[in-house]
Each structure stands twice: as structure tokens, then as C-alpha cells.
Amino acid sequence: MTEIIDGKAVASQLREDLQDAIETLADAGARPGLATVLMGEDPASQTYVNMKQRDCEEVGIDGIHVEIDGDAPAEELYDAIADLNADDDVHGYIVQSPVPDHVDYRDVIDRVDPAKDVDGFHPENVGRLVAGDARFRPCTPHGVQKLLESVDVDLEGADVTIVGRSDIVGKPLANLLVQKADDGNATVTVCHSRTEKLVEKTRRADIVVAAAGVPELVDGSMVGEGAVVIDVGVNRVEADTEKGYELVGDVEFESAKAKASAITPVPGGVGPMTRAMLLYNTVKAASLQENVDVDLP
């Protein structure tokens, strides 16, 4: 019988496991602080930052939110970043994407203090990850590792096919899974829009990670018998519902479920883990900046 990997439950347990570290920091006068920055009024982004702030409140992290008008000049966002870099009460922060067209997101990332870059996107942190000395693992790839751990997947020597080469998921996840570590040592193939014979590459994999941003790209015919399937995608598609849409992943769930030994649903799989790992990185950032040792789960 196929195991449905419950990301909500794994994320909930991780938040609970962070409590001791948060209390240790608070007792030392260093309660972790996480800021979210939103420029513009993108509804999905607003919902996401609201959820992150609620997560902070639930676990005892100080949450700060900064809103900037979408029509404001880029310099206003850059000034906010400089203020957060200088604020000792803010141990980590994220600038929610997308940003308005007149703002260069790469320039935004370059201005973030790498020690507070809890998304793990700054070039310094990317370099450290590739070198095997990550300060912060990007939240979604780290969350995928935790989900695989939760169902006792042995990565050593496993064949992993990642469909998608984004800077946020595909590339960092590939780097993490090939590293010489207990949660690495896999053989990884990264596929993308120019990949030929995609089906052959996914069928032979022990683990398939779909992270291409294409609704239901991977179906059961592309999954080998007994493979583990991790669906990172979250896509809105038109549907006859009250909202007029439904959320689907990059995997056609029912047909893939029939072949897989374990699979993540959408929603309720990878998504909750991304938010949980942001809290994890914030606690780690506070520990490093305040020089207070904590036990991280």
C-alpha cells in the first residue's frame, strides 16, 4: 500500500522540536526574530507572508512585517533591507518574491546580509552549500530531505531524478543530495525543458522529485514501480469550484500513487515543510549571531 507522506505532521513535529532551542535563546535574552518584506500587493504573496507571521507567533519567534508600496522606487526597498541588516533584533529575514518589474531581484538578494539570509539565496550562502559547508540550507530542499527522512528513505547509492533546475529547488537540492553526508550520497540526475527522453530518466529513478512548475507533468507512466515521489509543485488550475480553481502539483497524483511506494500530496506535502524550515533557519541564525549554543532537530 502506498504511503502518503504527511508534510503537515512532519512540519508540526519539527516546530515542536524547535521549542527547546527557542526557549534556550530566549532565556539568554536572544529571542529569535524573523522579518518578512513584501513589496506590492500580490495576493498569493500576502497570504504566504501572513502564514509565516502566524507560524512565528505559534512557536515564540518575534515576527516583524515590512510592507512597501509596489509603485515605490527600488531605493525604498533597498533602504528597508539596509535597516534590517543593521537591526540586532532581526536575526533573519526574507524578501518575498515576486518583486515589481522595476526592481532587480538579484540586486535585492545581493544586498541581504548573508548571516540573515534565512532563505539561503545569497551568493555567499549558495557557494557555502556547494562547498559542503552550508550556513543555511534553502527551505524547500531542506524540507524535502526531512520528508525523505520521515519515511526512512535510504539515500546512499539511490538514483534520484529531479525534474526542474530552478535556483530555489532543483539546483540546491541536487547539491545537497550528492554530498558526502548521512542525508546525501545519492546519484542525482537533473532534468529540465531541454532534457531528451525524460520518461526514461524518471522511470529508472528510486526517487522522483517534481519541481518544474508544470501542472501534472509527471504521471504514473513516468514512475517506476516502488519509487518515492516528492511533488514540490503548487499550481492553480481552473476548476468548477467555489473559488473557480483548485491546487494541483507537478505530479498527476492518482496515477503516480498507483506506482509509488510513498508520495507527497498537494496541498499538505512539501508546502508546510518549506515554512517549517524557515523557522529552523531563523533559530539557527539567532544561535550563530548571539553565540548561544542550541540543539537543533
Side-chain angles (χ1 to χ4, degrees):
M1 184 174 178
T2 304
E3 181 173 1
I4 309 301
I5 305 173
D6 189 344
K8 289 182 179 179
V10 178
S12 178
Q13 183 62 56
L14 187 136
R15 289 196 298 270
E16 184 177 328
D17 291 343
L18 282 173
Q19 289 299 317
D20 285 346
I22 293 171
E23 290 174 10
T24 297
L25 287 161
D27 290 343
R31 183 172 296 281
L34 172 68
T36 53
V37 182
L38 177 63
M39 187 175 189
E41 299 180 353
D42 179 73
S45 294
Q46 288 180 326
T47 298
Y48 199 41
V49 295
N50 288 340
M51 294 167 71
K52 291 172 181 176
Q53 289 296 325
R54 187 168 65 246
D55 290 341
C56 288
E57 184 177 352
E58 288 178 356
V59 300
I61 290 175
D62 287 336
I64 303 103
H65 183 54
V66 179
E67 287 196 12
I68 301 172
D69 190 283
D71 294 326
E75 286 69 23
E76 189 168 331
L77 174 58
Y78 300 155
D79 288 344
I81 290 172
D83 290 342
L84 292 170
N85 286 342
D87 189 341
D88 291 338
D89 291 330
V90 174
H91 298 101
Y93 67 94
I94 64 155
V95 179
Q96 185 65 39
S97 63
V99 294
D101 291 341
H102 65 281
V103 179
D104 183 345
Y105 188 62
R106 174 48 59 192
D107 195 14
V108 170
I109 296 303
D110 287 346
R111 291 171 183 266
V112 174
D113 181 349
K116 297 187 178 187
D117 169 38
V118 286
D119 263 336
F121 295 161
H122 189 281
E124 178 181 315
N125 287 326
V126 173
R128 290 184 61 152
L129 183 149
V130 174
D133 182 30
R135 177 190 280 125
F136 306 117
R137 301 186 189 193
C139 301
T140 299
H142 197 184
V144 169
Q145 289 184 294
K146 291 291 187 183
L147 288 174
L148 292 171
E149 179 184 315
S150 75
V151 289
D152 298 323
V153 172
D154 185 5
L155 284 164
E156 185 164 348
D159 284 322
V160 181
T161 295
I162 301 172
V163 184
R165 56 178 172 182
S166 73
D167 293 335
I168 296 173
V169 181
K171 291 179 187 176
L173 180 59
N175 274 294
L176 288 170
L177 295 183
V178 299
Q179 288 181 6
K180 191 174 183 179
D182 291 340
D183 52 3
N185 291 319
T187 300
V188 182
T189 301
V190 179
C191 301
H192 46 78
S193 59
R194 303 297 176 89
T195 297
E196 296 182 357
K197 300 180 181 179
L198 175 62
V199 174
E200 292 183 12
K201 293 173 174 60
T202 56
R203 276 182 182 166
R204 74 185 184 207
D206 302 306
I207 302 163
V208 177
V209 181
V214 179
E216 299 181 330
L217 171 66
V218 177
D219 62 23
S221 70
M222 300 171 67
V223 176
E225 196 71 43
V228 175
V229 179
I230 304 293
D231 190 351
V232 178
V234 181
N235 310 284
R236 286 189 182 188
V237 297
E238 292 184 4
D240 186 17
T241 65
E242 184 177 337
K243 294 181 178 179
Y245 68 86
E246 64 179 356
L247 296 179
V248 301
D250 287 2
V251 174
E252 200 294 302
F253 183 78
E254 291 301 329
S255 64
K257 175 187 171 186
K259 300 284 286 294
S261 61
I263 187 170
T264 58
V266 174
V270 174
M273 292 304 300
T274 297
R275 289 162 45 205
M277 301 323 297
L278 181 64
L279 302 177
Y280 180 101
N281 281 350
T282 301
V283 174
K284 183 176 183 180
S287 172
L288 293 172
Q289 291 166 42
E290 301 290 348
N291 198 27
V292 176
D293 290 334
V294 298
D295 290 327
L296 287 168

